Amino acid sequence: MRLAGAIVAEQGVIIADDYFNIYWPDVTTAVNDFLKERDDFAPFLITPGKLYICQKKQLGLYEEFAAALTARSSIKSRVVDLNREEISAIRLSRKGELRQKFGLAI
């Protein structure tokens, strides 16, 4: 996570795979530790098994993206509290739904 935080582009996104995966608990621990250490990063979206993180100065851009993504489709979403940060949570009805609808690999 520290390496990702050091090299991510200004408008880049860090995607933490296996976040909240019961078989990989150290991923969740590492991501949470990173977010505590680096207050210049914030999560903006969570999907089953993935957490999307951007630099806080880009947070508005990615929050708009997440809102637009759910507004344009029948994808179920809600706002959740994660470590005192409100983020969009998307629940996919089937694997690959976002890729099929929007050409995204989320």
Side-chain angles (χ1 to χ4, degrees):
M1 288 301 302
R2 288 186 186 120
L3 177 61
I7 66 171
V8 68
E10 186 173 328
Q11 290 187 335
V13 173
I14 298 170
I15 303 172
D17 191 29
D18 290 325
Y19 192 73
F20 282 140
N21 184 323
I22 62 170
Y23 300 107
W24 299 99
D26 291 343
V27 171
T28 303
T29 301
V31 170
N32 290 345
D33 288 349
F34 172 79
L35 291 171
K36 287 177 191 172
E37 292 170 8
R38 296 289 304 266
D39 63 357
D40 54 330
F41 283 90
F44 67 90
L45 179 67
I46 190 168
T47 60
K50 293 187 182 1
L51 182 68
Y52 299 80
I53 303 164
C54 67
Q55 293 182 41
K56 277 193 178 171
K57 60 186 173 185
Q58 303 296 333
L59 191 55
L61 172 73
Y62 287 108
E63 286 175 334
E64 287 180 28
F65 165 77
L69 187 67
T70 57
R72 293 181 7 197
S73 71
S74 60
I75 295 172
K76 304 271 189 255
S77 70
R78 66 185 175 124
V79 174
V80 297
D81 181 9
L82 180 72
N83 298 329
R84 295 179 299 238
E85 299 276 349
E86 288 189 350
I87 64 170
S88 294
I90 295 177
R91 177 74 177 132
L92 305 177
S93 61
R94 64 180 198 265
K95 192 171 185 167
E97 183 174 3
L98 290 178
R99 182 174 45 251
Q100 290 171 350
K101 289 187 179 206
F102 304 106
L104 300 173
I106 292 183

